[in-house]
Amino acid sequence: MALRSLATRKTLTLALKSTRLAQSRALQTFSLPDLPYDYGALEPSISGEIMQLHHQKHHQTYITNYNKALEQLHDAIQKGDSSTVVKLQSAIKFNGGGHINHSIFWKNLAPISVRGGEPPHGSLGWAIDTNFGSLESLIQKMNAEGAALQGSGWVWLGLDKELKKLVVETTTNQDPLVTNGPNLVPLLGIDVWEHAYYLQYKNVRPDYLKNVWKVINWKYASEVYEKESA
Amino acid sequence: MSRETLAYHWGKHHRTYVENLNKQVVGTDLEGLSLEDIIIVTYNKGDILPAFNNAAQAWNHDFFWESMKPGGGGKPSGDLLDLIERDFGSFERFIEEFKAAAATQFGSGWAWLAYKANRLDVENAVNPWPSEKDKELVIVKSPNAVNPLVWDYFPLLTIDVWEHAYYLDFQNRRPDYISVFMEKLVSWETVNTRLEKAKARAAEREMEEERRRKEEEEGKPTNEEEDDDDLEMYVDNDNDDSEAE
């Protein structure tokens, strides 16, 4: 009896060990999050055609390439191949950043029917007035910085957790907001890559910026703000 | 490349760069400079000044339109083909590399074929022992408005990979746009003409270098004269000081 239980315990321990090893070796892969609304639900601010391409093609491509880069990174780390580890950093920043930013973006938008565009109340509303004077001022500032951004990037409303204030920032390409400062938390990001608006607004980025506010989901931004400033 | 794309790309984007540049330049030190000079000055060794984006994009788009022609594509010939085969192994390899550069320029930017001649990659340094091997074709990519003029290369061919260049026709499918550009649009005649100019400029610069080197060797006395002037000035200053006291 004793022998059998010993044998069982050994096998059990071995089984546990190999599971744990397998878990540590298993790489999490990322997949495209579903949109909480239909592609056409943000019209006329953002066309259904754009939403579908943006979600199914652009975001998906970032995820696919991010997963690929992570797998290559994983291999390189295991082999101790430092030069490949370092070489992969830009692919990870581009594609991982693309995944992070777009995941936030879909939550930053909401159809008018579910209160998209409705101004923020509560603590975020107060904070905006304190930091920028008014919501209109904030919008003006974000539109100006978004329009002036050369090339591709994002314009953000962020919370600086250390300084305890709201900030407007821009990042280039797919750099997440945190690349501007480790204490920055994104509340709201607006994609100003041309793919985000070109089919509808062509070269007139300012028109896109003016109209996107009609579908901004302030509820989500408020939730993040309340959680992070607690 | 659709009519619609050209109407927006040339008629709106390019036009806006030119109009905004004109507004930025008027009444400043940049007024009266050539476009290429404005680009170099406002690039400011990487610490770019406000007019750079508009200036470089104005130049880039001119260069891009001229790089294409209806019924383009095909293969180059003569010197150009020889150089391509020398520096890339084969025409096919060149196409592969050029396409890869264009496809992997992340965000907005351009891919280029350029002629690089007799310069070290050190700012303002001149290659002391130039050889034929230094004169080579290179493929480079650049972000946003940057172009090879700022590295003192001679651009020969470019493709615009900002999304506005292909989104109406190809949406996210940049590789398809690049393929069509190579197969149906590139004007190899223009590239050839540019290569001849590039070689001529390289030859001119070599002659300049030779001339300057000969002058130094012959040891002209201009340097000594300058030293005497400095001495005189120093003496004058002393007198002034004693008078002041």
Side-chain angles (χ1 to χ4, degrees):
Chain A
M1 233 334 214
L3 258 167
R4 231 191 298 149
S5 54
L6 197 67
T8 320
R9 214 182 312 136
K10 244 196 190 155
T11 330
L12 212 62
T13 325
L14 260 169
L16 266 169
K17 244 195 197 156
S18 63
T19 316
R20 232 176 276 135
L21 264 170
Q23 278 175 350
S24 69
R25 256 193 244 118
L27 198 56
Q28 183 183 12
T29 48
F30 294 90
S31 53
L32 189 64
D34 285 331
L35 293 188
Y37 38 78
D38 288 338
Y39 288 132
L42 303 179
E43 288 184 352
S45 299
I46 307 180
S47 73
E49 191 188 14
I50 288 182
M51 288 306 295
Q52 182 167 8
L53 279 167
H54 204 170
H55 182 244
Q56 282 183 355
K57 303 287 179 188
H58 291 274
H59 190 177
Q60 178 62 66
T61 303
Y62 288 126
I63 289 172
T64 306
N65 290 339
Y66 181 42
N67 285 335
K68 200 161 53 159
L70 284 178
E71 205 183 303
Q72 292 171 333
L73 179 67
H74 189 74
D75 283 342
I77 290 175
Q78 293 207 306
K79 291 192 193 125
D81 178 358
S82 300
S83 111
T84 302
V85 168
V86 173
K87 220 170 26 164
L88 285 166
Q89 295 310 305
S90 63
I92 288 176
K93 190 159 85 150
F94 292 164
N95 294 295
H99 173 51
I100 292 170
N101 294 339
H102 287 86
S103 300
I104 296 172
F105 190 49
W106 308 136
K107 293 191 232 169
N108 282 153
L109 302 170
I112 297 177
S113 58
V114 294
R115 299 157 69 189
E118 201 181 274
H121 305 299
S123 54
L124 180 56
W126 274 103
I128 289 176
D129 287 344
T130 310
N131 283 271
F132 301 102
S134 64
L135 180 59
E136 291 68 43
S137 270
L138 168 64
I139 290 178
Q140 217 174 41
K141 188 172 165 69
M142 285 185 76
N143 285 351
E145 301 215 10
L149 193 151
Q150 292 290 326
S152 311
W154 293 74
V155 59
W156 303 93
L157 171 65
L159 166 66
D160 185 325
K161 282 184 81 161
E162 195 181 311
L163 300 177
K164 295 202 184 7
K165 62 178 203 164
L166 296 180
V167 291
V168 168
E169 296 268 336
T170 57
T171 56
T172 50
N173 292 344
Q174 291 299 349
D175 293 359
L177 181 59
V178 77
T179 53
N180 281 15
N183 299 308
L184 297 176
V185 174
L187 302 176
L188 178 52
I190 301 178
D191 190 349
V192 293
W193 279 63
E194 286 173 328
H195 66 238
Y197 60 89
Y198 206 78
L199 291 179
Q200 187 177 355
Y201 295 94
K202 309 294 189 305
N203 61 306
V204 194
R205 194 193 282 175
D207 279 357
Y208 158 66
L209 287 168
K210 218 172 32 174
N211 283 296
V212 80
W213 294 101
K214 300 186 184 139
V215 289
I216 288 293
N217 184 4
W218 283 109
K219 202 155 68 92
Y220 171 73
S222 292
E223 280 166 16
V224 178
Y225 177 74
E226 274 154 34
K227 186 166 86 114
E228 296 290 342
S229 51
Chain B
M1 189 176 285
S2 69
R3 173 191 294 266
E4 197 191 8
T5 292
L6 280 169
Y8 281 104
H9 201 175
W10 172 82
K12 304 280 183 186
H13 291 271
H14 188 181
R15 188 186 302 278
T16 304
Y17 288 127
V18 173
E19 285 173 355
N20 288 343
L21 175 64
N22 285 335
K23 284 187 221 153
Q24 277 177 312
V25 156
V26 87
T28 72
D29 285 344
L30 298 173
E31 201 167 3
L33 292 183
S34 74
L35 184 56
E36 301 201 359
D37 283 343
I38 294 179
I39 291 172
I40 304 292
V41 166
T42 55
Y43 182 67
N44 199 25
K45 299 183 182 166
D47 189 13
I48 67 178
L49 303 174
F52 177 76
N53 282 310
N54 289 317
Q57 284 292 77
W59 190 96
N60 295 341
H61 283 86
D62 274 340
F63 194 81
F64 178 51
W65 307 134
E66 289 165 9
S67 298
M68 296 187 282
K69 68 170 197 185
K75 228 173 139 158
S77 55
D79 258 357
L80 176 55
L81 183 59
D82 287 341
L83 270 181
I84 287 178
E85 288 175 344
R86 184 196 76 176
D87 291 334
F88 298 103
S90 68
F91 181 64
E92 289 69 34
R93 276 286 300 282
F94 156 72
I95 296 281
E96 248 177 61
E97 270 190 51
F98 188 79
K99 283 185 174 184
T104 57
Q105 173 49 41
F106 194 76
S108 311
W110 304 76
W112 307 84
L113 171 65
Y115 187 75
K116 179 176 181 243
N118 293 342
R119 298 269 159 180
L120 294 177
D121 285 333
V122 175
E123 217 173 75
N124 298 325
V126 178
N127 189 331
W129 298 289
S131 78
E132 279 309 299
K133 273 205 293 181
D134 295 309
K135 296 179 186 152
E136 54 172 359
L137 295 178
V138 291
I139 292 174
V140 286
K141 53 189 181 185
S142 59
N144 295 351
V146 178
N147 63 37
L149 295 177
V150 309
W151 307 314
D152 203 32
Y153 295 179
F154 198 104
L156 302 176
L157 171 65
T158 194
I159 180 173
D160 186 351
V161 291
W162 281 62
E163 286 177 324
H164 64 239
Y166 58 90
Y167 214 82
L168 295 179
D169 298 333
F170 295 94
Q171 293 81 59
N172 62 306
R173 300 179 330 267
R174 194 197 282 187
D176 287 349
Y177 157 67
I178 299 169
S179 293
V180 167
F181 176 82
M182 298 311 295
E183 286 161 28
K184 305 242 169 84
L185 293 172
V186 176
S187 166
W188 288 114
E189 290 85 0
T190 306
V191 181
N192 212 9
T193 309
R194 290 166 177 166
L195 176 62
E196 295 310 311
K197 291 208 187 112
K199 290 198 280 189
R201 186 178 87 158
E204 243 175 68
R205 282 182 173 185
E206 273 179 359
M207 288 193 328
E208 258 300 311
E209 269 314 300
E210 266 308 299
R211 212 178 304 146
R212 222 177 296 154
R213 219 173 287 152
K214 279 212 183 98
E215 273 174 19
E216 276 178 35
E217 279 173 20
E218 281 159 24
K220 289 206 166 154
T222 35
N223 288 344
E224 288 172 24
E225 276 172 34
E226 275 171 38
D227 286 340
D228 285 340
D229 281 345
D230 286 337
L231 262 167
E232 277 180 50
M233 279 168 63
Y234 181 79
V235 168
D236 280 346
N237 281 341
D238 264 353
N239 287 342
D240 281 345
D241 283 342
S242 50
E243 274 172 25
E245 276 169 24

